[in-house]
Amino acid sequence: MYLPWLQKYNLLIFDEIDSTNSEAIRLVKANISGNFVIWATKQTAGRGRYGRQWQSDQGNLYTSVILDNNIPITKQPQVSFITALALYDAINSVTKKSSQDLKTFVKWPNDILINDKKVAGILLESITIHKRNYLIIGVGVNISSNPTNVNYPTTSILSENLETETSNLLSVFMGFFDKYLMQWNKTGFVSIRKQWLKRAYKINDIVTINDGSSRISGVFNDIDLNGNIRLKTAGGQIFTLSLGEVLFT
Ligand code: BTN
């Protein structure tokens, strides 16, 4: 099979590792150059956002992409929207289902849902060495198992009665990721934002956001050109938040 993305990314495969994101950080610190994809069959210390643990048994997809192209720090959050679009398209493509059949959504800022349950998450980490920025994009997709000890609904591709091979999902995801990244390089965030909004969970609906210290509710009506979420409260006030999570309701 011809996989064009393999010409742009060095692929490293591990049977077991602590965390593909941690390995990516070690590689960057060891002065590697070029883009990398690190793929592990299982992780012993998988990490989620906010320092949470990411359950990483064999059978799911655990991968991290290192982008060695000095993306300015202010633009880096945009890459999580590119990643979410690529994951959304990859999941629909490998399961051969339309997004309507599957009820697939992207959830701000960086989760993928099937039937209102989290199936995938993205962890962006950034590191600057000798004034050059490296972006690490960690991706976890529940294929054959999903955590049950978390306080939000989760699912896996298997629990939704669908099937895919981990390697196939990785490859299809990377194809879409590279496509959206090229689009972003050419035309910027405008078209990525538009495509993301079309797939967004609870757009134009009332949501509650936990920003770590407080909760705020309002109608989710947009994301701005930096990827911040915009909420309109009952009083008509617009709130723009850069950090936090849309809660499942
Ligand atoms: C989230 O909290 O939703 C983000 C989860 C990201 C998990 C992936 S699995 C591959 C990579 N390595 C890690 O340790 N974490 C990310």
Side-chain angles (χ1 to χ4, degrees):
M1 209 194 308
Y2 173 63
L3 301 169
W5 65 268
L6 275 174
Q7 298 192 335
K8 300 188 193 169
Y9 297 84
N10 302 294
L11 176 62
L12 297 180
I13 303 173
F14 294 86
D15 286 338
E16 180 180 304
I17 201 157
D18 52 350
S19 147
T20 53
N21 267 39
S22 301
E23 176 63 14
I25 293 172
R26 289 190 289 267
L27 288 171
V28 170
K29 287 187 175 161
N31 284 323
I32 47 106
S33 65
N35 299 324
F36 280 77
V37 172
I38 302 155
W39 172 33
T41 306
K42 59 180 172 177
Q43 301 183 119
T44 52
R47 297 188 276 115
R49 295 174 69 224
Y50 299 111
R52 294 177 190 138
Q53 183 209 2
W54 186 260
Q55 200 173 302
S56 301
D57 304 332
Q58 188 162 341
N60 293 339
L61 176 63
Y62 311 108
T63 192
S64 300
V65 179
I66 305 177
L67 290 181
D68 166 20
N69 51 356
N70 204 15
I71 300 171
I73 305 277
T74 51
K75 292 210 166 142
Q76 291 180 352
Q78 298 179 6
V79 179
S80 96
F81 294 86
I82 291 172
T83 312
L85 279 183
L87 272 174
Y88 175 103
D89 286 3
I91 290 171
N92 287 314
S93 161
V94 298
T95 55
K96 299 185 186 69
K97 294 271 177 180
S98 74
S99 51
Q100 281 90 347
D101 286 347
L102 259 191
K103 282 226 279 145
T104 333
F105 288 101
V106 292
K107 176 170 160 294
W108 188 86
N110 43 22
D111 292 341
I112 313 296
L113 311 184
I114 296 181
N115 293 325
D116 294 345
K117 290 163 279 178
K118 177 163 170 169
V119 71
I122 301 162
L123 176 66
L124 232 58
E125 295 186 302
S126 177
I127 170 161
T128 305
I129 305 254
H130 305 309
K131 296 195 180 151
R132 190 172 176 82
N133 301 327
Y134 296 80
L135 186 60
I136 295 160
I137 306 135
V139 167
V141 184
N142 302 331
I143 296 180
S144 55
S145 65
N146 52 295
T148 45
N149 58 346
V150 289
N151 62 357
Y152 52 84
T154 63
T155 191
S156 67
I157 288 181
L158 195 68
S159 327
E160 300 297 327
N161 296 318
L162 302 161
E163 271 181 52
T164 184
E165 284 290 318
T166 316
S167 56
N168 186 36
L169 182 60
L170 173 65
S171 196
V172 174
F173 160 68
M174 280 309 298
F176 281 117
F177 178 78
D178 194 46
K179 177 191 106 172
Y180 285 117
L181 198 64
M182 284 195 292
Q183 206 178 87
W184 182 63
N185 284 331
K186 254 196 195 156
T187 59
F189 190 54
V190 177
S191 78
I192 298 294
R193 170 178 165 271
K194 211 166 151 188
Q195 294 171 86
W196 188 93
L197 282 169
K198 275 193 202 150
R199 297 159 171 83
Y201 173 71
K202 298 251 168 167
I203 186 80
N204 297 322
D205 206 342
I206 295 176
V207 297
T208 301
I209 299 199
N210 181 352
D211 72 0
S213 55
S214 60
R215 288 171 179 218
I216 170 165
S217 297
V219 175
F220 165 24
N221 60 12
D222 209 354
I223 56 167
D224 69 14
L225 286 174
N226 295 312
N228 302 323
I229 193 164
R230 286 162 64 93
L231 292 191
K232 192 173 182 180
T233 63
Q237 234 183 324
I238 301 284
F239 274 88
T240 305
L241 297 153
S242 59
L243 282 178
E245 287 186 300
V246 169
L247 299 179
F248 287 93
T249 41

